[in-house]
Amino acid sequence: DGTNPSLPSRVEAQPLEFLPSSIKDFVNLKTLTINDRHLDIPKTIGTLVKLTQLTLNNIGLKSVPDGISSLVNLTGLTLSRNPLLTSLPIEIESLVNLTSLCLDGLTNLNVAELPSLRGLLRLRWLNLEETIFILDTQPQWLKDYDSDDTTRLFTTDTEGSSSEDDKGYETN
């Protein structure tokens, strides 16, 4: 099946200077977390189809890495604290197994131009805290989360205070 049983499904390492394109060889990898390192993410990340959790927190992202839309088994995606990230690709809608999407601290994200996430039927946690947007320009699909009975939405209002739209969803 092309998998290498000698490669681990989880790797903990010293701080990286770069993420090598050979990451594609970790075909059984289920969780990849990169925090507080300014790294370029290679396109080969899209070959890690067994990934269920991907965290790219505060790594200086300017755009969502190519290949992420191939990660259809993702249940959790965190792109938090990447202030240079201004948009999400429409392909994000192909991540149909997402239950959690964290976009908090994306201070330059143009929420009004976000692709609709309504096709992500399993999405139960959407975090937009500290993501600056004007409520009048909020897209309709995002306003609809206010009346959604299954999704928990975290936002920051125009005065900068956080709010939680708690619909009874429990987290672990």
Side-chain angles (χ1 to χ4, degrees):
D1 66 1
T3 62
N4 184 341
S6 66
L7 293 175
S9 61
R10 180 179 175 92
V11 175
E12 293 188 27
Q14 296 298 318
L16 297 171
E17 296 300 320
F18 65 94
L19 190 64
S21 61
S22 62
I23 189 80
K24 71 182 181 331
D25 295 333
F26 292 88
V27 295
N28 292 318
L29 195 66
K30 295 195 184 293
T31 300
L32 179 60
T33 300
I34 303 172
N35 289 313
D36 305 317
R37 304 294 301 172
H38 286 245
L39 299 175
D40 290 326
I41 305 300
K43 292 178 183 179
T44 56
I45 196 165
T47 62
L48 302 176
V49 295
K50 291 187 180 180
L51 269 183
T52 59
Q53 300 289 318
L54 178 60
T55 299
L56 303 174
N57 185 29
N58 192 28
I59 67 165
L61 282 180
K62 295 177 185 171
S63 63
V64 174
D66 291 337
I68 282 190
S69 62
S70 300
L71 304 176
V72 295
N73 288 313
L74 278 183
T75 58
L77 176 61
T78 299
L79 301 172
S80 302
R81 310 269 180 256
N82 286 291
L84 300 177
L85 188 61
T86 59
S87 65
L88 296 178
I90 195 163
E91 293 83 12
I92 201 137
E93 296 173 2
S94 66
L95 302 176
V96 296
N97 289 307
L98 270 186
T99 58
S100 172
L101 179 59
C102 295
L103 304 173
D104 54 305
L106 302 181
T107 54
N108 291 306
L109 185 67
N110 187 343
V111 176
E113 294 182 12
L114 282 178
S116 172
L117 302 178
R118 289 316 253 163
L120 302 178
L121 300 178
R122 294 185 174 137
L123 191 64
R124 298 294 177 259
W125 184 275
L126 176 60
N127 188 342
L128 293 169
E129 283 186 291
E130 299 175 33
T131 298
I132 307 303
F133 57 92
I134 300 169
L135 294 178
D136 291 342
T137 63
Q138 201 174 2
Q140 185 60 46
W141 66 264
L142 187 55
K143 290 177 184 177
D144 290 345
Y145 275 113
D146 289 337
S147 61
D148 189 322
D149 290 332
T150 59
T151 303
R152 184 175 270 183
L153 173 65
F154 291 86
T155 61
T156 303
D157 65 23
T158 54
E159 284 78 39
S161 63
S162 293
S163 68
E164 176 183 350
D165 179 10
D166 187 357
K167 303 293 184 182
Y169 178 72
E170 294 182 7
T171 60
N172 296 340

